[in-house]
Amino acid sequence: MTSKTKLINYIHAKQRETPILVKNHLKDIDYSRLKFNEFKNHIDNFIVANSEYYNRFFMMSGLRGVGKTTVLYQLYEYLTKEKNVSKSDIFYLDVHDLKTSYDVPIKDIVDLYLEDIHGTTAVNLNKKIFLFVDEAQLDIGWANYAKLLFDKTFNIFMIFTGSSALNLEINADASRRIMKEQLFPCNFSEYLIFNYGLNLTKNNFMDILLKRDESNIEKAIECESLIKKDLLELNNDPEIILKKFLHYGAFPFSFKMTEVDTHRLTNDLIERIVQEDLRYFASFNKVSNESILRLISYLSTKKPGSTSNSALAQSLNLNIRTVNNILDALEKSQLIFSINAYGSAGKILNKPKQHFFLTPCLKSAINYRVGRYDLNHEKCYAVLAENMVASTLKRFADESFNSLGIFYDANKKGVDFIVKIFDDIVPIEVGVGKKTKSQLTRAKNRYSADYGVLVSNRTSTIEFKDDILYIPLISFSLIG
């Protein structure tokens, strides 16, 4: 059992180290994710609230490398430099560091921090403090303890970050109190801000997918016109910049790195997810990490379209149950996501799923590693563009519009995606190097859809013609 003195010394050491860590980590970072501003607004409201401020318990999950720790460090800097909060009133705890040093739960450390630094307990706390806990999934009891803190005092603002394994520890009681936030890889709008200082006019392009009417289309065209003027500020062709983003621009660590180093670090990130994160979702005692990585590589390098799990098992010399478990764990880790075939319940069950990576950069990095990478190859661009459209739709559905369903068309020569918005069906085709509407026409008739959507790099402006909504790939990439 670790002595109380050792734990107090550990807390004091972390309090001294945190300002140094923040300074060193942020010295070359001149950007902030949009999620930072959301948290900042909640912090501002919490500070000035004279009574209970309910939005003070957050869980921020996300893939490795998307910038969760950076957000916490920036909030620490914001509190100390702009809100004049004392460093003693902020406790940043890296649970990975804690578990490396001492095998004690978050509860013991935080309770001791309150006792030693503030001379009180949570119930008797009479000042506002901030608790930032990184890699919280390493402590299986984090959610229950955080819920107890939330109930005991109005005076602690809490953010717990980690992988999607955080969700495993949230029971129904804690779920009612917690605000869940997912930090996704950067979208193209953030990429332009961070790399080119170009803060584009906020777009409303998703509105024309959700409800296609003349008013929404007119507003979207007007917005697109303003964005085109903004893009003229770039010293390069916007489509070339989009290609670079799709290949290696979605992770914040890429902003100061070369293309080759970004691909290397992205592959390292994938390996760490396999080695360290998947164990939270499934037991792979008889499956090597190499087999899991081969399956990931297979998903990345295969041609677009669905592949049955039995075909995957046969190709990789694994049994079907193992393949099912691996795919399920990869989805829970948020490395990949899947969509079902559109149709009846029987069709959904009988047809294989289509799998996509959370960002095209993951797919690109794996293809680069195995020697199948070509930035200028049209087929390569087309595959990454299709993944980007799928990722954009999923992100929007997860963050803003839970009633949006995303499917693929299992019919021969079907469209790439079927989007269901309440009772409305919208077929979507992604075209790179071609401008075709034949699949859309068939799908529109088959599903009795009012209109179809063609996302294409050969389309120069948003346009509605002959029941087809044309959206340039650049414009679609700016959704979010």
Side-chain angles (χ1 to χ4, degrees), residues 162 326 380:
I326 294 173
C380 178

Side-chain angles (χ1 to χ4, degrees), residues 37-51:
N37 293 319
E38 294 177 21
F39 283 126
K40 184 166 70 70
N41 291 336
H42 285 298
I43 283 174
D44 290 345
N45 292 334
F46 170 75
I47 289 175
V48 300
N50 292 321
S51 57

Side-chain angles (χ1 to χ4, degrees), residues 223-476:
C223 179
E224 185 183 54
S225 177
L226 295 174
I227 287 174
K228 285 181 177 178
K229 292 179 181 178
D230 292 336
L231 291 173
L232 289 175
E233 300 295 322
L234 299 172
N235 294 323
N236 207 337
D237 181 348
E239 186 168 5
I240 292 176
I241 295 174
L242 175 61
K243 286 183 179 180
K244 291 180 178 179
F245 165 73
L246 295 179
H247 278 272
Y248 53 86
F251 289 102
F253 58 72
S254 69
F255 300 158
K256 304 286 185 179
M257 303 184 70
T258 65
E259 173 187 346
V260 173
D261 285 341
T262 298
H263 285 312
R264 178 180 56 80
L265 277 186
T266 303
N267 278 296
D268 288 347
L269 179 149
I270 293 169
E271 289 187 12
R272 287 191 64 192
I273 290 172
V274 170
Q275 293 167 0
E276 300 178 26
D277 295 348
L278 293 194
R279 62 188 175 88
Y280 290 103
F281 308 111
S283 175
F284 299 114
N285 294 332
K286 296 181 180 180
V287 182
S288 67
N289 289 338
E290 288 74 17
S291 295
I292 299 174
L293 289 168
R294 281 196 297 118
L295 189 150
I296 294 172
S297 294
Y298 183 94
L299 293 177
S300 177
T301 56
K302 76 179 187 67
K303 292 181 179 179
S306 60
T307 303
S308 69
N309 290 7
S310 58
L312 272 174
Q314 186 174 3
S315 297
L316 298 169
N317 196 27
L318 296 170
N319 68 61
I320 184 68
R321 180 176 294 181
T322 298
V323 168
N324 291 339
N325 288 340
I326 294 173
L327 289 172
D328 182 61
L330 291 174
E331 284 202 53
K332 288 178 178 176
S333 76
Q334 300 175 354
L335 187 70
I336 65 172
F337 64 96
S338 66
I339 61 175
N340 291 309
Y342 180 75
S344 63
K347 194 168 196 176
I348 291 174
L349 287 174
N350 292 326
K351 291 290 183 179
K353 294 181 177 182
Q354 278 193 13
H355 294 92
F356 296 90
F357 288 84
L358 191 61
T359 168
C361 296
L362 293 163
K363 189 180 187 75
S364 177
I366 298 167
N367 278 273
Y368 181 87
R369 177 174 55 81
V370 300
R372 293 169 57 106
Y373 170 97
D374 185 351
L375 180 61
N376 297 310
H377 198 292
E378 195 169 80
K379 287 186 177 179
C380 178
Y381 185 26
V383 169
L384 296 183
E386 184 177 331
N387 198 134
M388 181 274 291
V389 171
S391 300
T392 301
L393 291 171
K394 174 180 170 49
R395 178 174 180 162
F396 183 79
D398 287 352
E399 290 190 325
S400 308
F401 202 80
N402 292 328
S403 296
L404 186 145
I406 310 165
F407 307 88
Y408 75 90
D409 188 352
N411 291 286
K412 188 176 181 180
K413 294 185 179 180
V415 291
D416 292 319
F417 303 105
I418 299 288
V419 170
K420 185 173 184 181
I421 308 164
F422 299 115
D423 292 327
D424 295 328
I425 303 299
V426 182
I428 299 177
E429 179 69 12
V430 183
V432 168
K434 59 182 179 179
K435 186 177 180 181
T436 176
K437 62 178 184 178
S438 57
Q439 291 101 321
L440 282 171
T441 301
R442 284 193 296 270
K444 187 172 69 69
N445 293 331
R446 180 182 296 121
Y447 300 115
S448 301
D450 291 336
Y451 61 99
V453 176
L454 177 62
V455 182
S456 172
N457 69 328
R458 294 293 179 88
T459 299
S460 60
T461 188
I462 292 173
E463 180 184 17
F464 186 71
K465 183 179 179 182
D466 298 330
D467 293 330
I468 302 294
L469 179 63
Y470 297 88
I471 303 180
L473 188 61
I474 286 280
S475 297
F476 194 95

Side-chain angles (χ1 to χ4, degrees), residues 66-103:
V66 295
K68 301 185 296 294
T69 299
T70 299
V71 171
L72 294 185
Y73 283 167
Q74 289 175 326
L75 291 173
Y76 182 98
E77 184 178 66
Y78 172 72
L79 286 167
T80 55
K81 291 188 175 182
E82 297 190 38
K83 306 305 289 186
N84 296 317
V85 173
S86 170
K87 294 180 178 67
S88 64
D89 293 341
I90 312 170
F91 189 29
Y92 169 78
L93 179 63
D94 181 343
V95 182
H96 184 270
D97 180 87
L98 172 64
K99 295 297 183 181
T100 301
S101 303
Y102 302 108
D103 186 20

